Every structure is written in structure tokens, then in C-alpha cells.
Amino acid sequence: MTNKRVAVLSCVSFNSQLVKRQLTNYQASHGNQAKHFLHVASDGDIDAQELLSLGNIDVDAATSSYRTSNLCNFGGQIANSKRLLISAEQFGYVYIHTDADLIVQGNLAEYVNKHQCGFLKQRPSVNWPHYKKMMEDPYFSALRDYLGIKPEEIITGRQEGSFFPIELWAEMSALFEKFYHEEFFSNQALLWPIEEGIVPTIASKLIGNTYPDFAPKVKNIVVTKPLKPAPRGINPRDISENCVNIEDIKQTLDIGSNDACIAMKWFSRNLSDPAAKFANEKLTP
């Protein structure tokens, strides 16, 4: 059976060369079976037009009035989804991720087609630094009330590397846009990484109500290395111990399934990073 195309959604802000490195890495995994929808931050240093002419890599890149930040860039994913859903092209699945991961094993499109839906599901902990902000978020509260989601039904978890059938994502996106307006993302006092709460919570509710066949049997594909605090003014990805190294990749592959698609996060911003080079070599031996 022919695989359905995958729409890959991400937000980018700075350093077009790093974005091109990631796109080249993903292309080596999925080939022509996917298209990248990139939200380019309006206050970054990337020219969206530059990302539209990358040879054989299929890219739709644009900026929008949605603000993004280190704390929350999900407004950019809402903007990406709006462009995706009015596109004349046909897609079967949506995959969401960030600009700091690279694939280290497998064909993304084949894996997504095989498993259909995968995202991280955890019960929220009161010790999570963003727990209080999440529970006090009036937009999340209104969204939960609209769908009849009780506090004990809230699900959290990092969502980079999650994927969903297009019909499920379209319904999720309509709800995100309905309740999270542009002004939310410009109000620093309200911000928290909302995708870690709204994506798994809403997906789980819709799957339970309408899409039982999409109940995930796998989780998201990105393995995220914990970040240690960085001094003020220093990007955490510029501290070597925070970044994925070659040994991290080898250990992750050793414990993972040989037929899985696996990505890892955080890779160094150094364009000559040995771990990033090693990841690409694993995909194109």
C-alpha cells in the first residue's frame, strides 16, 4: 500500500544554516514522502524566502503575527497548521517537532504511516515548574470546559516528535485556534509550554470520543536530553554537556528497536558538530 505524505511542522527563529542542516537530515530520512511547514519568527534573523529554495527539499516557510519565544512557540504551530489545512496538497499525517533535533535512525514517513499516532502521555506532577501556570491558564480552562475534560483527565508530556492522522490534527487545530488567540502569545505573564498540556490532553479526549482507532501504541520519536541550567545570556545549546554527543546516540540506538524511527534533541549549534555529522552518517551510510 502506498504511504501517505507527512506534513512536518516546526518553528524556527535564528541561524538559517542550522535550519538547513536539520532539513537535510530529515530529507535523508523521509525522502520525498514529506513536506516541511516552517513558521519563521518575525523577530528572528531568518529570511523565509531563503528556505524555499533548497533543491529537492519540499518546504513551505512563512512568518505570521503569532509571537514565539523560548518558553512557548506553539503559536507558530497554529500558524503552520492554518497554512497546511488550506493547502491543496494531500497529507495523511502531521508530525510536530522543534528546531533542535535530528533523526538518527529510520524512515520517518514509513514509521508514521505504520503507527499512525504517537505522543507522550504522562500524568501531570505538581512539581513540574509550569504546573501552576497551566492550571491557572484561563484559555486552557475554557478549552477543557468546552470538551468536558475534568482536572484529573489532564495529560502532559513533551511533544517534540509526536504525530497524528490529519483528520485528528485538523480537529485539534481548530480547537487550538478557537481558544488560543494571537494576543495570548504576546503576554509574557500567561506563557507556559502549552503544547505539553493541550496537545496530549485534547488528543486523548478526541481519540476517546471520536477516533478510537487512533489510540497510540507508541510514543513520540524524539529522545530529549535533559538540559542543565545555563548562565544568564548563554544559550544552553552552547554548553557541551547539554548537547547530544556520539556516545549518547550509540547508547540510544543500542536500547531502541532496530525498526523504529528515532530522533534526538538537543544538538549543538556548532555547524561542525561531530554528533550531528555522525547522525547524518547513520542515515546515509
Side-chain angles (χ1 to χ4, degrees):
M1 186 172 67
T2 304
N3 281 340
K4 298 177 181 178
R5 294 188 77 206
V6 178
V8 179
L9 277 54
S10 183
C11 300
V12 298
S13 301
F14 298 99
N15 198 329
S16 61
Q17 294 305 311
L18 283 177
V19 178
K20 292 176 184 179
R21 181 179 76 176
Q22 185 184 57
L23 290 170
T24 300
N25 167 269
Y26 266 71
Q27 179 73 15
S29 170
H30 60 57
N32 295 325
Q33 301 175 80
K35 179 172 184 171
H36 293 259
F37 288 80
L38 302 180
H39 180 268
V40 180
S42 59
D43 57 353
D45 66 1
I46 296 176
D47 180 359
Q49 290 298 121
E50 183 181 354
L51 301 177
L52 298 177
S53 56
L54 298 178
N56 64 336
I57 304 177
D58 198 358
V59 176
D60 179 319
T63 188
S64 79
S65 53
Y66 283 91
R67 294 296 301 272
T68 58
S69 68
N70 289 337
L71 186 58
C72 179
N73 65 16
F74 200 71
Q77 295 291 42
I78 293 176
N80 281 334
S81 297
K82 291 170 69 173
R83 298 201 321 279
L84 162 65
L85 295 173
I86 63 173
S87 169
E89 298 180 66
Q90 298 296 310
F91 297 92
Y93 300 96
V94 173
Y95 170 90
I96 62 174
H97 73 132
T98 73
D99 63 352
D101 66 80
L102 296 174
I103 294 177
V104 299
Q105 174 183 284
N107 184 304
L108 174 66
E110 291 180 0
Y111 186 82
V112 168
N113 272 266
K114 177 180 179 180
H115 294 284
Q116 295 191 301
C117 187
F119 57 94
L120 188 59
K121 300 173 63 176
Q122 299 172 335
R123 291 298 174 188
S125 168
V126 295
N127 296 320
W128 185 40
H130 306 288
Y131 179 83
K132 185 173 184 291
K133 188 68 72 70
M134 175 181 73
M135 297 307 296
E136 293 177 349
D137 180 351
Y139 302 90
F140 189 35
S141 178
L143 176 51
R144 297 196 329 264
D145 288 346
Y146 181 78
L147 292 176
I149 298 173
K150 302 174 183 177
E152 60 268 26
E153 294 178 303
I154 295 174
I155 297 172
T156 59
R158 301 188 70 103
Q159 295 306 310
E160 54 262 31
S162 297
F163 53 95
F164 307 88
I166 187 70
E167 54 266 50
L168 172 58
W169 183 258
E171 192 165 340
M172 292 167 62
S173 294
L175 291 167
F176 300 154
E177 185 179 356
K178 178 181 179 70
F179 287 91
Y180 281 90
H181 304 152
E182 292 180 21
E183 58 266 24
F184 170 87
F185 301 97
S186 298
N187 189 338
Q188 189 69 25
L190 293 175
L191 294 181
W192 58 285
I194 64 171
E195 73 281 356
E196 296 188 34
I198 67 173
V199 169
T201 299
I202 304 311
S204 296
K205 185 65 172 180
L206 294 180
I207 288 170
N209 286 351
T210 311
Y211 302 101
D213 291 345
F214 297 155
K217 296 180 176 60
V218 296
K219 61 181 183 179
N220 54 327
I221 76 164
V222 175
V223 178
T224 302
K225 186 171 183 176
L227 279 180
K228 297 180 179 179
R232 182 179 294 274
I234 301 297
N235 190 302
R237 291 174 68 189
D238 293 335
I239 299 176
S240 59
E241 62 182 312
N242 276 337
C243 298
V244 173
N245 57 47
I246 292 176
E247 188 58 33
D248 292 330
I249 297 174
K250 290 180 177 179
Q251 290 178 0
T252 298
L253 294 179
D254 283 344
I255 63 177
S257 170
N258 288 335
D259 62 355
C261 182
I262 302 173
M264 298 185 70
K265 177 184 175 180
W266 303 78
F267 278 85
S268 168
R269 299 196 303 170
N270 183 347
L271 289 171
S272 59
D273 175 39
K277 180 180 179 181
F278 182 74
N280 286 336
E281 290 172 348
K282 296 297 292 182
L283 291 178
T284 56

